[in-house]
Amino acid sequence: MSVPADLTGLWRRELITTPDGGRDETTTVVWLQTSSWYADLRVPADRPARPGATCFADYSDAELLDLAAVQGFAGELSVGDGVCFWRRDLDYQPPSGVPDEGAFRLDGDLMIEDGIHTPYQEIWRRDPQSRGDLQAWRREDGLRVRAGGYFMDITEREFPLPPGATLAEIVQAALAAGDRATAIDALSMRISFGVIGPDGAWRITASTWPWLEGRTV
């Protein structure tokens, strides 16, 4: 089933709140939705910066653990009766077992989403520059999606993560065992978001591989 046109495009999260008083309006969150496939990336504002880095090996153990706080996922969206269900075929974090499902209300380019299985409310706003071409390319090792002047590209890690733990817990356990290679492997899924410039270049502006930011695909 095709996703309704009023849900397609690039959505930026402005705010998330939870009943316990939690509030976040600093994390960079982008959700790019085509008529079927979608991709989502969430980068905390305090993610470590490492000028000159070219790979994960250039980061300290503490910085690798901080990088594990990034979130990102992709799959197909199902919509019905005012509810969105985001199927996570690709996920930077281990599978939690909790469905990603929320009730939504639209007011033009503003969307309010209320969690069904987890209590939260998110406020989203659609970017007007994302109107236009909607494209999706599914690969064996990942996905690329486009909406107007924006894109997201995902390449899966070579092995699945075990369910139940968070990525930070997996990375921390590997580092505690002195096994940086396993920690880096766990972080190796590449999710990049970017802008398609007037020159036709696809330039990355946010990524789970921070050293790619500013480069072209």
Side-chain angles (χ1 to χ4, degrees):
M1 181 181 296
S2 180
V3 173
D6 55 4
L7 282 175
T8 61
L10 177 75
W11 295 86
R12 299 179 188 273
R13 194 181 75 188
E14 297 183 343
L15 174 67
I16 182 172
T17 55
T18 55
D20 61 2
R23 180 183 182 92
D24 179 13
E25 50 192 328
T26 63
T27 299
T28 297
V29 181
V30 285
W31 156 36
L32 194 156
Q33 181 66 57
T34 71
S35 57
S36 56
W37 296 93
Y38 78 90
D40 186 300
L41 179 62
R42 306 176 177 211
V43 180
D46 60 355
R47 184 196 65 179
R50 172 65 71 174
T54 60
C55 61
F56 286 114
D58 293 330
Y59 289 81
S60 68
D61 285 3
E63 289 171 331
L64 290 179
L65 190 56
D66 287 339
L67 290 176
V70 174
Q71 298 181 44
F73 43 91
E76 287 191 285
L77 172 65
S78 300
V79 183
D81 298 325
V83 172
C84 286
F85 171 64
W86 290 269
R87 194 184 74 205
R88 297 192 183 189
D89 298 313
L90 305 166
D91 201 335
Y92 192 61
Q93 295 288 330
S96 68
V98 179
D100 190 353
E101 198 169 19
F104 71 93
R105 308 189 299 279
L106 285 171
D107 182 6
D109 287 335
L110 181 71
M111 173 179 171
I112 299 174
E113 175 194 345
D114 291 291
I116 292 176
H117 305 282
T118 304
Y120 66 83
Q121 183 175 88
E122 291 180 308
I123 308 248
W124 300 87
R125 191 173 301 276
R126 182 162 52 180
D127 191 308
Q129 299 302 315
S130 64
R131 299 184 185 277
D133 290 341
L134 298 174
Q135 298 173 301
W137 301 267
R138 185 69 167 100
R139 310 185 306 266
E140 286 188 6
D141 67 341
L143 173 72
R144 179 177 291 182
V145 289
R146 174 187 181 180
Y150 299 97
F151 72 92
M152 290 187 71
D153 187 79
I154 300 177
T155 300
E156 180 63 286
R157 54 176 65 84
E158 294 185 359
F159 62 93
L161 295 177
T166 65
L167 181 57
E169 288 170 337
I170 292 170
V171 170
Q172 186 174 40
L175 293 173
D179 188 356
R180 277 180 59 90
T182 293
I184 289 172
D185 284 345
L187 293 166
S188 64
M189 183 174 180
R190 187 174 71 241
I191 306 177
S192 296
F193 164 73
V195 177
I196 303 171
D199 59 354
W202 294 39
R203 184 163 290 104
I204 296 169
T205 59
S207 180
T208 56
W209 292 16
W211 59 91
L212 295 181
E213 294 171 359
R215 300 186 185 183
T216 57
V217 174

